Amino acid sequence: MNKHDPITLYHGRTSVCSAKVRVGLVEKGLEWNSELLDLKAGEQFDPAYLALNPNGVVPTLVDGDLVVLESSLILEYIDSLSDRNPLMPTDPKAIVATRHWLLKCLDIHAAINTLTYATIQRSSILATKKPDQIAAMIARIPNPKAAAKRRDIIDNGLESAHVDGDLHALFNTFTEMSAALGRGKWLAGERHSMADIALIAYIDRLDRLGFDALWSGRFPEISPWLEAYRQRQSYLDAIEAFSPADVTAKMRTQGSAHWPRLEQKWQAYLQNR
């Protein structure tokens, strides 16, 4: 086994991208230093953190003088740090399939972000912040495109144009997942791999929001995959341990309140397929 000094991960407790990197770290058995940011308090916008990650998002991995951004890239990097439990398959077709999923995570993350903010996050923000506070919060987002999206979603919720586009991205994701899981137990075949790590936090988030009906009827292969993953120690240590039962229960209750309208939009999308 390769020896390596502990790396440092800047992450958020319930951030889906942070969660998937934590899963990878546990699977690899790597030691790492935790720098947990309070995202609700806006610690990701502190100047010291922005010097590491100018986008003001998590996670960020620091290894000596190397700073690695983007969760999918971080997964590949940590896999290179140790020979223990290789996360990337060796079969060329499986490698291509895995890297395909890593690239798709950009669209998948955008969709999960949209549904989270258009439902429970929007409700919380509108209930606790005044208009000037909301404006100030959005003004701290460094990326103008991301700031404009956040403004639109807070203003319009599930009626935001971003929702329709991201439902399309999720439909494509579920379709490809269903096909892959019809061929093997895991996304890249019979062996658990980085492809599964890349997606677990996103599907888990949708389930915690009470949105599992997005796939449970039309794409039944996904639920057994999710339940199988929830038996892995990496899930328990990297996701479950950061999501107390009361927090999950509250998230599901709040999310379920938005499900009727989301279901209407989802069914309308499916009818036009």
Side-chain angles (χ1 to χ4, degrees):
M1 183 186 301
N2 301 342
K3 291 186 178 180
H4 193 274
D5 291 334
I7 53 187
T8 298
L9 182 70
Y10 293 80
H11 59 122
R13 184 173 296 279
T14 59
S15 153
V16 284
C17 290
S18 297
K20 85 184 199 189
V21 170
R22 292 195 300 260
V23 170
L25 288 167
V26 175
E27 289 283 349
K28 292 294 293 183
L30 292 171
E31 295 183 15
W32 56 287
N33 299 317
S34 171
E35 290 289 346
L36 195 61
L37 302 185
D38 185 341
L39 304 184
K40 288 188 176 181
E43 290 183 355
Q44 68 274 31
F45 302 128
D46 289 347
Y49 182 71
L50 288 175
L52 292 174
N53 190 324
N55 291 321
V57 297
V58 290
T60 298
L61 183 140
V62 178
D63 185 6
D65 60 359
L66 176 66
V67 178
V68 189
L69 310 181
E70 299 297 339
S71 56
S72 292
L73 181 58
I74 294 174
L75 281 180
E76 290 207 72
Y77 180 71
I78 63 176
D79 194 30
S80 73
L81 297 180
S82 169
D83 295 333
R84 176 180 177 179
N85 189 24
L87 304 180
M88 183 64 74
T90 55
D91 175 73
K93 291 183 179 179
I95 292 173
V96 170
T98 299
R99 291 211 163 109
H100 169 77
W101 283 115
L102 293 175
L103 288 172
K104 278 186 69 70
C105 280
L106 293 172
D107 287 339
I108 297 169
H109 174 263
I112 302 305
N113 174 273
T114 293
L115 291 191
T116 302
Y117 267 91
T119 56
I120 64 170
Q121 292 283 27
R122 176 176 184 262
S123 295
S124 175
I125 290 169
L126 293 178
T128 59
K129 295 184 181 297
K130 298 177 180 179
D132 60 328
Q133 293 175 313
I134 295 174
M137 176 186 69
I138 294 173
R140 298 186 73 186
I141 299 175
N143 186 328
K145 184 177 180 180
K149 174 185 174 179
R150 186 67 51 83
R151 177 79 268 176
D152 181 69
I153 287 176
I154 290 176
D155 287 345
N156 299 300
L158 287 172
E159 308 314 313
S160 167
H162 291 282
V163 172
D164 293 333
D166 287 326
L167 288 180
H168 176 72
L170 288 177
F171 179 85
N172 286 342
T173 297
F174 300 150
T175 300
E176 291 190 35
M177 288 184 70
S178 180
L181 294 171
R183 296 189 294 267
K185 180 179 179 180
W186 300 103
L187 290 173
E190 292 302 319
R191 182 180 178 276
H192 168 270
S193 74
M194 194 181 299
D196 304 286
I197 297 173
L199 267 67
I200 180 58
Y202 301 125
I203 302 302
D204 181 74
R205 165 62 62 82
L206 290 174
D207 182 72
R208 287 173 185 266
L209 286 169
F211 298 162
D212 57 297
L214 288 170
W215 67 77
S216 59
R218 189 161 180 154
F219 307 102
E221 297 84 357
I222 296 175
S223 290
W225 170 85
L226 175 61
E227 291 310 310
Y229 213 117
R230 285 176 167 170
Q231 305 307 310
R232 296 183 73 87
Q233 193 63 45
S234 60
Y235 175 89
L236 299 175
D237 291 348
I239 296 180
E240 189 71 16
F242 287 84
S243 303
D246 60 329
V247 173
T248 296
K250 183 178 180 180
M251 179 182 292
R252 184 167 284 116
T253 297
Q254 293 176 336
S256 295
H258 296 277
W259 172 247
R261 179 55 183 145
L262 179 57
E263 182 182 28
Q264 289 178 344
K265 295 182 74 68
W266 182 237
Q267 291 303 324
Y269 172 81
L270 293 178
Q271 289 173 8
N272 291 325
R273 292 296 304 170

